[in-house]
């Protein structure tokens, strides 16, 4: 309990640093505000959001993809080889002045060279270094949000993660934002995706300290069962919220009313985003995520063995897959008679694959898990020889991502192609079975390299079917 009490005291004071005029001016000078505003304006006011929300979403994307860098262990500055964690180093006076009470020692696995990595806690310093893990990310990002005029909270999870909450006047509620994951309004991702066993999730701002734990769960009783010394913790939070010496009577009334509304909404309607699909954590190396148990347990499918059977058809058979609906639609002789949920349900083999939903960009696709090589195969078996085939398999690649396609007869394995449209499908004429395989990889080492290969990328609200097999008999 002492550790949590200390964290409450430290974070309550820390968020006041975001209010310093010097820091806020530095933020404005650092961000490419005009470019971010222009991009946000192009987003319009879709999905019931205003410019206020679209601009923040664009800032979140920019922060993750262009501004801040994740650090597990830095590569060696001498030979470029990977490093490992060594014994911690003593902080210098300069380190301490920027809040770095801990200094990591990254030791080269090849030449043994040592590299210092101070864990800075000063949001102003982080605007310069632009690197770290979730602590540095959430710290700097929350400060940026405050400097941009957003009502922002720094959110502390006692099971070792931090993120941000923003109050949206348009939505009239607090919105979860995780800059590490570029995640917007997905509070259940930690419990349902990362499989975290939450206990206390506490939000801090210049105005208040709030226990928001139940916003992040579908099972409040589970959280309650993990808590100890609950009375002492709640008393501590209450003591932090003595507004008399800081706020006018009008401001106190506003905060009290807003807090009451927030708590009522959390308790009566827990689990914003229930029913959505959540994968494991994306930020950090695979080994680091696995060591923390945050890779999730549903982010990729084990090998399966499902066959697409044409059944007893006379003239035609069609199977289509909609990523937005995550369903297959099967037609026999022109009549749509079957729908099958989940991309893996008709996959013959699936290795390290998951369905990714980008709520910020309103897109959906099949992706590979982390930096691993991945593949997926569909097998079709027919009740009579194929007369002709028309097959569509679309994908998108970015940076160094690679996708290779093959269409194989059982007795004639074929070569792979970078585009499925390059495959000669006349070889299927007369066949009664065949397999289609997509293999995905990327030599990139960035944390988001897995995103560089995307199967069937489509609009989340669309009805496109970029996977389609049409057979005539």
């Amino acid at each position: 309990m002492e550790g949590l009490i200390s964290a409450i005291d430290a974070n309550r004071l820390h968020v006041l640093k975001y209010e310093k005029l010097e820091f806020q001016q530095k933020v404005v000078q650092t961000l490419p505000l005009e470019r971010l505003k222009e991009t946000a304006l192009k987003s319009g006011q879709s999905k019931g959001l205003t410019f206020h929300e679209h601009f923040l979403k664009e800032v979140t994307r920019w922060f993750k993809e262009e501004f801040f860098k994740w650090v597990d262990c830095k590569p060696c500055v001498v030979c470029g080889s990977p490093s490992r964690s060594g014994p911690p180093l003593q902080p210098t006076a300069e380190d301490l002045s920027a809040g770095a009470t801990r200094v990591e020692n990254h030791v080269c696995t090849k030449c043994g060279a040592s590299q210092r990595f101070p864990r800075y806690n000063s949001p102003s310093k982080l605007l310069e270094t632009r690197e770290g893990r979730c602590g540095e990310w959430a710290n700097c990002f929350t400060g940026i949000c405050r400097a941009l005029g957003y009502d922002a909270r720094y959110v502390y999870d006692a099971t070792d993660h931090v993120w941000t909450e923003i109050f949206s006047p348009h939505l009239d509620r607090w919105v979860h934002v995780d800059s590490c994951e570029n995640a917007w309004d997905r509070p259940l991702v930690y419990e349902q995706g990362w499989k975290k066993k939450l206990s206390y999730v506490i939000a801090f701002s210049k105005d208040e300290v709030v226990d928001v734990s139940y916003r992040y769960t579908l099972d409040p009783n589970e959280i309650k069962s993990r808590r100890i010394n609950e009375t002492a913790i709640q008393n501590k939070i209450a003591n932090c919220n003595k507004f008399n010496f800081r706020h006018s009577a009008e401001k106190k009334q506003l905060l009290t009313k807003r807090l009451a509304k927030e708590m009522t909404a959390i308790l009566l309607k827990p689990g914003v985003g229930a029913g959505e699909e959540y994968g494991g954590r994306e930020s950090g190396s695979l080994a680091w995520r696995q060591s923390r148990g945050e890779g999730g347990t549903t982010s990729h499918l084990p090998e399966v063995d499902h066959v697409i059977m044409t059944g007893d058809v006379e003239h035609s058979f069609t199977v289509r897959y909609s990523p937005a609906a995550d369903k297959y639609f099967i037609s026999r002789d022109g009549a749509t008679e079957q729908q099958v949920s989940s991309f893996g349900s008709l996959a013959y083999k699936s290795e390290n694959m998951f369905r990714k939903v980008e709520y910020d960009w309103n897109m959906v696709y099949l992706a590979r898990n982390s930096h691993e090589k991945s593949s997926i195969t569909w097998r079709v078996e027919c009740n009579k020889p194929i007369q002709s085939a028309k097959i569509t398999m679309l994908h998108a690649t970015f940076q160094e991502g690679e996708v290779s396609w093959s269409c194989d007869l059982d007795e004639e394995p074929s070569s792979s192609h970078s585009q499925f449209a390059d495959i000669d499908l006349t070889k299927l004429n007369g066949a009664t079975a065949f397999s289609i395989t997509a293999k995905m990889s990327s030599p990139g080492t960035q944390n988001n390299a897995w995103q560089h290969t995307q199967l069937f990328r489509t609009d989340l609200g669309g009805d496109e079917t970029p996977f389609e097999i049409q057979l005539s008999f």
Side-chain angles (χ1 to χ4, degrees), residues 315-330:
H315 305 291
S316 66
F317 174 86
T318 300
V319 56
R320 299 174 293 118
Y321 172 69
S322 164
D326 195 23
K327 287 183 180 181
Y328 293 92
F329 300 89
I330 297 175

Side-chain angles (χ1 to χ4, degrees), residues 198-239:
L198 301 173
S199 56
Y200 285 96
V201 180
I202 302 175
F204 299 84
S205 74
K206 67 180 180 65
D207 295 322
E208 56 194 350
V209 178
V210 183
D211 182 352
V212 295
S213 307
Y214 299 127
R215 192 194 324 280
Y216 295 88
T217 184
L218 286 177
D219 192 345
N221 290 328
E222 275 296 310
I223 283 187
K224 291 178 182 177
S225 70
R226 301 186 190 110
R227 294 186 166 194
I228 57 174
N229 297 316
E230 172 76 343
T231 301
I233 298 298
Q234 296 304 326
N235 286 340
K236 179 64 179 179
I237 292 174
N239 288 333

Side-chain angles (χ1 to χ4, degrees), residues 457-473:
R457 178 182 173 89
T458 55
D459 190 296
L460 184 57
D463 57 2
E464 298 93 340
T465 54
F467 168 111
E468 189 163 342
I469 300 173
Q470 300 179 47
L471 304 177
S472 298
F473 302 96

Side-chain angles (χ1 to χ4, degrees), residues 77-293:
V77 294
V78 177
C79 68
S81 299
S83 297
R84 57 174 175 78
S85 295
L89 303 173
Q90 287 296 316
T92 65
E94 182 180 358
D95 295 331
L96 292 172
S97 69
T101 58
R102 295 184 297 129
V103 178
E104 295 180 359
N105 180 17
H106 297 175
V107 182
C108 179
T109 57
K110 185 175 182 180
C111 71
S114 174
Q115 182 176 185
R116 302 175 80 255
F117 180 50
R119 300 299 302 276
Y120 293 118
N121 198 37
S122 162
S124 182
K125 182 68 173 180
L126 292 173
L127 286 174
E128 302 169 6
T129 61
R130 306 181 184 185
E131 63 181 8
R133 292 194 281 279
C134 55
E136 290 90 342
W137 281 64
N139 185 5
C140 187
F141 181 76
T142 307
I144 287 175
C145 292
R146 282 297 303 133
L148 294 176
Y150 288 90
D151 201 349
R153 289 169 168 173
Y154 178 84
V155 183
Y156 170 81
D157 161 27
T159 63
D160 194 21
H161 189 46
V162 282
W163 58 87
T164 307
E165 287 185 346
I166 301 294
F167 188 79
S168 166
H170 175 67
L171 299 175
D172 194 26
R173 64 178 176 85
W174 289 93
V175 176
H176 154 260
V177 185
D178 191 329
S179 59
C180 297
E181 306 289 291
N182 192 15
W184 166 272
D185 207 16
R186 305 194 75 205
L188 295 180
V189 67
Y190 310 113
E191 180 186 77
Q192 300 299 307
W194 299 14
K195 306 304 177 185
K196 289 175 77 70
K197 305 297 184 183
L198 301 173
S199 56
Y200 285 96
V201 180
I202 302 175
F204 299 84
S205 74
K206 67 180 180 65
D207 295 322
E208 56 194 350
V209 178
V210 183
D211 182 352
V212 295
S213 307
Y214 299 127
R215 192 194 324 280
Y216 295 88
T217 184
L218 286 177
D219 192 345
N221 290 328
E222 275 296 310
I223 283 187
K224 291 178 182 177
S225 70
R226 301 186 190 110
R227 294 186 166 194
I228 57 174
N229 297 316
E230 172 76 343
T231 301
I233 298 298
Q234 296 304 326
N235 286 340
K236 179 64 179 179
I237 292 174
N239 288 333
C240 292
N241 287 324
K242 293 181 178 179
F243 302 119
N244 294 15
F245 68 99
R246 285 186 296 171
H247 299 305
S248 65
E250 183 180 2
K251 183 64 178 286
K252 285 188 291 184
Q253 184 179 19
L254 173 65
L255 291 172
T256 302
K257 183 177 179 181
R258 189 174 71 175
L259 179 61
K261 184 175 181 180
E262 177 184 10
M263 292 297 99
T264 300
I266 289 176
L267 294 174
L268 294 182
K269 298 180 180 180
V272 171
E276 296 179 7
E277 184 172 338
Y278 297 92
R281 185 174 188 157
E282 298 172 6
S283 53
S285 68
L286 178 61
W288 184 80
R289 282 177 281 144
Q290 289 178 334
S291 71
R292 294 165 59 90

